Amino acid sequence: MTGLDEQTGPDPARSPQSAGPANGPVPVRDNEYFVRLAFAESPQQGFEALFRLYYQALCSHALRFVYTREVAEDIVGEVFYQLWKTGSYASVQHTYRTYLYAAVRHRAHNYLRDELTGTRTPASLDALDDTGQTETPQTLIEYDETFQRVEQVIHALPPQCQRVFLMSRFENRKNQEIADELGLALKTVEAHMARALQQLRRVFLSAGLLLAAWLY
């Protein structure tokens, strides 16, 4: 779940015009050129080219942070949906690749914040800031540190507390289901959840990341 460099490994995105076993990966600048040509033809063609080039790679990137393939695909799908719905594809100033990877990180971060702390807000679910153009090196460092601290807190929980928490937050199990499966009293499950959430809230609160959420 750690690591924020979307450039790690070979670039899986390939130009639609370069497909074929004899061709190697196309540099990002060439991908961007072909995508912008497609957008010049029509927004639909451009968006389809963008999706073909980056969808799978973005899902793999999201998977670093959110544990499950299903959630990673949901995050990437929402990024593309919002990009199309808001028309933001027409105002991307840097590369589409930079924009998309930053947006995926941003949503993965919000997903973890909301899932791990039980916080849900309309903004965190629906809003897509232009993160690809405003994300700074300092933001990347803060995201990376937060993801690492979340992992550390989860791994430091007592085994039974950790199991209860992961079943609740990452398997979407109800407290009573968990109690029945593990042979625990419901109050014991609730106590484990309270302990885990208390520890995780400290991670986000220390970074000032829950201030807006607590207003709801």
Side-chain angles (χ1 to χ4, degrees):
M1 192 172 67
T2 58
L4 292 172
D5 184 7
E6 67 269 24
Q7 302 291 348
T8 300
D11 183 358
R14 298 179 60 173
S15 159
Q17 297 186 24
S18 67
N23 296 314
V26 175
V28 172
R29 63 180 181 276
D30 292 340
N31 285 333
E32 292 292 316
Y33 173 74
F34 288 121
V35 168
R36 292 184 186 278
L37 280 183
F39 270 115
E41 291 293 326
S42 74
Q44 183 174 349
Q45 288 186 38
F47 194 79
E48 289 175 352
L50 201 62
F51 188 88
R52 288 196 304 270
L53 282 167
Y54 294 122
Y55 176 78
Q56 292 298 334
L58 288 169
C59 287
S60 296
H61 189 61
L63 190 58
R64 299 180 185 180
F65 313 121
V66 296
Y67 289 98
T68 68
R69 186 76 185 182
E70 181 180 3
V71 172
E73 290 175 350
D74 286 346
I75 286 173
V76 175
E78 185 64 19
V79 165
F80 275 105
Y81 172 74
Q82 289 294 328
L83 184 66
W84 177 260
K85 177 183 176 182
T86 62
S88 300
Y89 57 82
S91 58
V92 173
Q93 296 178 6
H94 300 303
T95 68
Y96 287 105
R97 180 185 177 89
T98 297
Y99 179 97
L100 290 169
Y101 274 95
V104 166
R105 280 192 293 271
H106 180 73
R107 279 193 173 274
H109 183 276
N110 284 354
Y111 171 84
L112 278 182
R113 180 194 65 191
D114 296 344
E115 283 299 303
L116 298 180
T117 63
T119 306
R120 285 293 185 189
T121 72
S124 66
L125 291 174
D126 299 325
L128 177 61
D129 296 331
D130 194 1
T131 53
Q133 298 183 43
T134 61
E135 194 175 63
T136 65
Q138 182 60 36
T139 302
L140 292 175
I141 292 172
E142 290 171 358
Y143 278 8
D144 194 26
E145 290 177 347
T146 301
F147 287 127
Q148 290 185 38
R149 289 176 64 192
V150 165
E151 279 193 324
Q152 290 168 0
V153 168
I154 292 175
H155 289 311
L157 294 171
Q160 193 172 70
C161 181
Q162 181 184 127
R163 186 175 182 187
V164 166
F165 176 76
L166 292 176
M167 288 176 72
S168 173
R169 283 294 180 260
F170 294 101
E171 296 179 22
N172 296 316
R173 307 285 286 278
K174 303 294 185 183
N175 284 354
Q176 188 61 61
E177 292 181 63
I178 298 171
D180 293 342
E181 181 169 328
L182 299 182
L184 302 174
L186 179 59
K187 288 189 177 296
T188 300
V189 171
E190 292 171 346
H192 282 314
M193 286 299 300
R195 177 176 183 174
L197 292 174
Q198 182 182 43
Q199 296 296 319
L200 287 161
R201 285 191 179 106
R202 290 174 182 170
V203 173
F204 289 98
L205 285 170
S206 66
L209 298 171
L210 279 179
L211 295 180
W214 285 119
L215 297 177
Y216 288 85

